[in-house]
Amino acid sequence: MKKQPQITEKTRQTFIEVFCELYSQKPIEKISVQEIANKSGYNRSTFYQYFTDIYELLDSVENDLLLDMKKELANQELSLHTFQDTLYCLDKREHLLVLNALLGDYGSARFIKRLKEEITLGQLELNVPQNHALTPYFTEFYLTTSLSLFRLWIQRQKDLSSKQFFKLVENLYSSGITPYFKE
C-alpha cells in the first residue's frame, strides 16, 4: 500500500525541521539519526526511508534552499541581480529555521561557499573593473560582507524589518559607516 504524497512530504518535512532545530544548537557530528527520529516521533527505519544518513539530509536541506532561491530569482524579470536581491529571496518566513541552522554557529562553511558559487559573477550587478587584478578581492569583499550582515540579522532574530535591513546594507556599500556616526 502506497502512502499518500502529502503524508510522505509531511514526514520528510518533520525530519528536516527537527534536524535544523538540532543543527542550530550543536555540530552535525553530535546529531544522531536516533535523536532526529525520537524528536520527530518516528523510528529510525522511517528516517532511512527518506535519507541514507545525516549528511544526505544536510545536502537535501541545502539543495532545497538553493533551488528555491534560484526559482525566486528566475521569477524576477531582471537579467542582473545584486547579491542583496539574492538574500532578499531567502528572506521568507519558511526559510528562517533552515537559515538559522545553515548560517548559525554550527553551520557549514561549505554551504556559504555553495551559496557564493550559485551567484555567478555574471548575474551580479557589481560596479567593479572587470579583468582587473583586484576584481576577485572586490567580489569576495562584497559577497562575504553581504552574507555576514545577513547572517547577523538572522541571528538577531531579524531585529530590523526587511526593508530597514536591506536599506542599511545598500547605504553601507554606497556611503560607508561614517554617516551613522553623525547622528
Side-chain angles (χ1 to χ4, degrees), residues 48-60:
Y48 289 119
Q49 291 174 7
Y50 294 87
F51 307 101
T52 55
D53 60 20
I54 302 257
Y55 295 98
E56 183 184 330
L57 173 53
L58 174 61
D59 282 344
S60 178

Side-chain angles (χ1 to χ4, degrees), residues 51-111:
F51 307 101
T52 55
D53 60 20
I54 302 257
Y55 295 98
E56 183 184 330
L57 173 53
L58 174 61
D59 282 344
S60 178
V61 168
E62 289 179 0
N63 291 337
D64 289 350
L65 184 64
L66 292 171
L67 183 64
D68 193 44
M69 180 192 73
K70 283 181 186 178
K71 285 179 185 174
E72 185 73 27
L73 281 172
N75 288 337
Q76 294 180 8
E77 296 182 21
L78 302 170
S79 59
L80 293 172
H81 301 285
T82 64
F83 196 60
Q84 282 86 353
D85 290 335
T86 303
L87 297 178
Y88 191 76
C89 289
L90 297 175
D91 178 31
K92 292 182 178 176
R93 177 174 284 225
E94 63 265 25
H95 295 313
L96 191 56
L97 183 65
V98 172
L99 288 169
N100 272 328
L102 296 178
L103 298 176
D105 292 338
Y106 302 105
S108 160
R110 181 189 75 148
F111 172 71

Side-chain angles (χ1 to χ4, degrees), residues 3-19 36-37 39-51 57:
K3 293 182 180 181
Q4 296 176 335
Q6 61 268 35
I7 293 172
T8 302
E9 182 54 33
K10 185 177 183 284
T11 304
R12 182 182 181 279
Q13 191 59 39
T14 300
F15 286 132
I16 288 171
E17 289 170 7
V18 168
F19 168 75
I36 292 173
K39 286 188 176 270
S40 298
Y42 298 99
N43 57 40
R44 285 177 48 167
S45 63
T46 303
F47 176 91
Y48 289 119
Q49 291 174 7
Y50 294 87
F51 307 101
L57 173 53

Side-chain angles (χ1 to χ4, degrees), residues 32-182:
S32 70
V33 170
Q34 187 65 55
E35 183 178 20
I36 292 173
N38 289 346
K39 286 188 176 270
S40 298
Y42 298 99
N43 57 40
R44 285 177 48 167
S45 63
T46 303
F47 176 91
Y48 289 119
Q49 291 174 7
Y50 294 87
F51 307 101
T52 55
D53 60 20
I54 302 257
Y55 295 98
E56 183 184 330
L57 173 53
L58 174 61
D59 282 344
S60 178
V61 168
E62 289 179 0
N63 291 337
D64 289 350
L65 184 64
L66 292 171
L67 183 64
D68 193 44
M69 180 192 73
K70 283 181 186 178
K71 285 179 185 174
E72 185 73 27
L73 281 172
N75 288 337
Q76 294 180 8
E77 296 182 21
L78 302 170
S79 59
L80 293 172
H81 301 285
T82 64
F83 196 60
Q84 282 86 353
D85 290 335
T86 303
L87 297 178
Y88 191 76
C89 289
L90 297 175
D91 178 31
K92 292 182 178 176
R93 177 174 284 225
E94 63 265 25
H95 295 313
L96 191 56
L97 183 65
V98 172
L99 288 169
N100 272 328
L102 296 178
L103 298 176
D105 292 338
Y106 302 105
S108 160
R110 181 189 75 148
F111 172 71
I112 291 179
K113 184 178 179 190
R114 285 184 70 194
L115 184 57
K116 286 179 187 178
E117 288 170 355
E118 288 295 327
I119 313 307
T120 62
L121 294 180
Q123 291 176 303
L124 289 177
E125 205 176 86
L126 292 178
N127 295 323
V128 296
Q130 295 302 309
N131 302 320
H132 187 278
L134 297 178
T135 300
Y137 295 98
F138 297 146
T139 304
E140 183 65 19
F141 171 81
Y142 182 80
L143 296 176
T144 302
T145 303
S146 296
L147 260 176
S148 184
L149 289 170
F150 187 76
R151 181 177 183 257
L152 177 63
W153 182 54
I154 295 292
Q155 289 175 336
R156 291 179 55 101
Q157 305 294 310
K158 295 185 175 183
D159 57 344
L160 301 173
S161 72
S162 296
K163 187 176 181 178
Q164 289 172 317
F165 172 75
F166 289 107
K167 186 68 177 165
L168 171 66
V169 173
E170 183 182 313
N171 288 342
L172 288 172
Y173 280 121
S174 63
S175 305
I177 62 172
T178 307
Y180 292 95
F181 291 125
K182 294 180 181 177

